[in-house]
Amino acid sequence: MMSKFWRRLQFWWHRDQMEAELREEMETHRRLREAALREADHPSPTSRSTRVMGNTTLAVEDARAVWLWPWLESLWLDLKHGARGLRRQPTLTITALLTIAVGSGALTTAFAVAHTVLLKAPPYTNADRLVQILQVQDGRRRSQVASVDVDVLRSASTLEGVAFAALNSVSLTGAELPENARAVLTDHHLFPVLGTVPALGRWPTQEDDNGSVRPVVLSHHLWQRRY
């Protein structure tokens, strides 16, 4: 198997020389047959020897198909033809390269988003059992369930745990420049429902919910970047 592979690879690098040698060998055989026909007083030795030997170009094509991978040669010729055409039209080449670059970037971004949102499972315990409940307002607008409705949901026997969460934005101040950050207003039920464990510290408790000062849970990225 490997010897066949190396023979084909060798022909790929020296195909012009090997094809020339094959044509020369076939021409030699044709001339020898023609000479033999002349000695036998054949009426048309040249045409007869040509018919016996067959079409030289076709024989070379058949040999190439045996010695080489036809699909590889076809691909190589297509690439050479395409590169020659692009070299003659540099404006078209630059436009095509920019289009491919933009398309590849957009496709990569779309796949990353789809993989994160649709394909990759969330890093929560029993993620397939988590649901998000929303409410519709004015027939169009959707918002998260208000905190006043959470107690009603907790009375449902089909729900093992219920937590309230609402998106918000906060201003971070301190030694560095102030910046806006996304935040989630929630209660102490959220993290047990998600089944997550804090990297450092503890989760908020019910006493924290009823206290005058609410604790803050920092994301790993924000903690590493700013604190």
Side-chain angles (χ1 to χ4, degrees):
M1 186 68 179
M2 289 301 297
S3 60
K4 184 178 181 181
F5 172 81
W6 287 115
R7 283 199 304 269
R8 290 191 173 188
L9 189 62
Q10 182 182 12
F11 177 77
W12 171 258
W13 291 111
H14 306 285
R15 58 187 180 278
D16 293 338
Q17 176 184 351
M18 295 186 70
E19 287 182 3
E21 292 177 355
L22 178 61
R23 291 178 182 275
E24 182 179 356
E25 182 178 356
M26 294 186 65
E27 181 64 19
T28 300
H29 284 289
R30 188 193 66 78
R31 290 176 180 176
L32 291 175
R33 181 171 292 275
E34 180 180 349
L37 292 174
R38 290 184 185 278
E39 292 179 359
D41 295 330
H42 195 278
S44 53
T46 302
S47 59
R48 175 59 181 173
S49 62
T50 301
R51 285 197 302 269
V52 172
M53 293 300 298
N55 190 309
T56 304
T57 303
L58 182 59
V60 172
E61 292 291 336
D62 293 339
R64 185 188 294 115
V66 175
W67 291 345
L68 189 63
W69 298 281
W71 62 268
L72 183 60
E73 184 181 20
S74 177
L75 177 62
W76 174 250
L77 293 177
D78 290 342
L79 291 176
K80 288 177 60 177
H81 178 73
R84 194 178 299 114
L86 292 176
R87 189 167 57 249
R88 287 196 298 265
Q89 299 178 343
T91 304
L92 177 62
T93 303
I94 296 175
T95 303
L97 292 177
L98 290 176
T99 302
I100 293 174
V102 173
S104 300
L107 181 61
T108 302
T109 302
F111 176 79
V113 173
H115 181 267
T116 302
V117 177
L118 301 177
L119 303 179
K120 186 178 180 180
Y124 309 130
T125 304
N126 298 324
D128 57 331
R129 298 175 58 190
L130 294 175
V131 295
Q132 183 181 22
I133 302 177
L134 305 174
Q135 64 180 182
V136 179
Q137 295 179 351
D138 302 329
R140 308 185 308 272
R141 185 180 175 184
R142 290 187 173 184
S143 63
Q144 292 170 317
V145 176
S147 59
V148 70
D149 299 325
V150 173
D151 293 335
V152 177
L153 292 173
R154 288 200 177 101
S155 63
S157 59
T158 56
L159 299 177
E160 184 177 339
V162 177
F164 166 75
L167 295 178
N168 200 353
S169 62
V170 296
S171 296
L172 300 178
T173 59
E176 301 182 15
L177 293 176
E179 66 172 294
N180 290 328
R182 291 184 301 175
V184 177
L185 300 178
T186 183
D187 55 21
H188 72 281
H189 295 280
L190 177 63
F191 300 106
V193 167
L194 297 179
T196 57
V197 178
L200 289 175
R202 63 174 179 82
W203 293 140
T205 63
Q206 185 174 2
E207 289 74 16
D208 294 322
D209 290 348
N210 300 328
S212 58
V213 179
R214 302 294 296 273
V216 175
V217 177
L218 300 179
S219 68
H220 181 79
H221 175 71
L222 179 62
W223 173 52
Q224 291 288 318
R225 181 175 59 83
R226 189 176 176 95
Y227 298 101

